[in-house]
Amino acid sequence: KSSVNKKKIRVFLSRPNPFTKEQQYFIEKLKNTLDKYNIESITLQAKDYSPYDSLTVLNEMIKRCYGMVILAFGHTYIQSGILKKGAIKNKNFFEAEEQSLDGKWITSSFCQIEGAMAISNNIPILIIKQKDLRIDGILKDDQKIVSVSDFTLENTSQIDFFFENILEKEIYYWKKSLEQIFNKIEGKII
């Protein structure tokens, strides 16, 4: 039994490549926090893969993980934009009207793709969403996904506050479902 506790629980960390010091700080702090909870995170390092090759590699990596953390940083900023420009309202379709995207961030499409792979592999997902992020696809709230919203990246003290007052509790909660899968699988191996 004690050997199970020593082995780290491997999770996949889905996130855009950081392009600010604050994003880099957030990622390092997240990895250190997960490590404190005996969770090891792996990420697909950006290479010039073909889409087919990168998805194949990703799928293999995610299959070997017990959970996924999606860190949904803003990646593309929309100063002024419209979704579904010129849309005609149609009751047969969900959200079939024009919407403003002014001041919204969009995260990397890989957060969506990797999240879908986590769902298809039936592993627990924790999503951490930046403030003013456009919420669609995998980012929508769901009872089966642990989700934390509205962190800002203005400075490191705000990031520290978010971790200490909000995120750590959610990681602790999410880790319980992670441990159930980990112990079920690892328990059979030993």
Side-chain angles (χ1 to χ4, degrees):
K1 188 78 182 162
S2 63
S3 59
V4 171
N5 300 337
K6 288 188 182 95
K7 192 169 181 192
K8 286 198 179 297
I9 303 173
R10 187 175 46 250
V11 301
F12 191 89
L13 172 59
S14 174
R15 49 126 184 103
N17 285 328
F19 55 86
T20 69
K21 290 193 304 279
E22 291 77 14
Q23 287 177 342
Q24 190 62 54
Y25 178 83
F26 195 107
I27 289 170
E28 290 309 312
K29 190 168 179 78
L30 178 60
K31 286 179 172 178
N32 291 336
T33 303
L34 291 171
D35 194 57
K36 192 171 80 179
Y37 286 99
N38 204 36
I39 300 169
E40 167 197 18
S41 64
I42 62 168
T43 302
L44 178 64
Q45 295 307 317
K47 286 191 179 81
D48 194 17
Y49 284 118
S50 76
Y52 184 86
D53 288 341
S54 63
L55 293 178
T56 306
V57 170
L58 264 175
N59 197 33
E60 286 308 310
M61 287 175 79
I62 293 167
K63 273 184 178 154
R64 291 195 287 270
C65 292
Y66 298 97
M68 181 176 291
V69 178
I70 298 173
L71 179 50
F73 281 145
H75 186 253
T76 303
Y77 183 73
I78 301 172
Q79 193 98 34
S80 172
I82 299 169
L83 178 72
K84 299 182 182 171
K85 186 169 171 47
I88 297 155
K89 195 150 176 63
N90 182 336
K91 65 179 182 347
N92 297 324
F93 297 107
F94 180 67
E95 290 181 356
E97 64 275 346
E98 207 173 272
Q99 294 170 37
S100 167
L101 292 176
D102 295 4
K104 289 285 185 195
W105 283 99
I106 294 174
T107 195
S108 162
S109 55
F110 272 93
C111 290
Q112 298 280 0
I113 293 166
E114 291 162 352
M117 288 181 170
I119 289 171
S120 70
N121 281 293
N122 205 21
I123 56 175
I125 302 169
L126 167 66
I127 303 180
I128 310 165
K129 300 179 257 196
Q130 186 175 333
K131 192 177 192 320
D132 296 323
L133 193 71
R134 173 162 153 66
I135 304 301
D136 65 341
I138 192 84
L139 303 176
K140 287 189 174 179
D141 285 339
D142 188 287
Q143 290 174 333
K144 294 184 179 185
I145 295 173
V146 178
S147 183
V148 196
S149 298
D150 286 350
F151 69 87
T152 60
L153 290 166
E154 285 162 40
N155 56 52
T156 55
S157 61
Q158 278 186 328
I159 294 168
D160 291 342
F161 180 87
F162 175 72
F163 269 81
E164 289 153 25
N165 294 282
I166 297 161
L167 188 57
E168 288 226 24
K169 287 186 273 264
E170 297 298 332
I171 290 172
Y172 180 79
Y173 173 73
W174 168 74
K175 187 187 178 201
K176 291 185 183 313
S177 50
L178 210 58
E179 283 174 329
Q180 284 179 326
I181 291 176
F182 181 75
N183 291 332
K184 194 161 95 180
I185 294 168
E186 290 296 320
K188 287 176 185 168
I189 291 169
I190 291 162

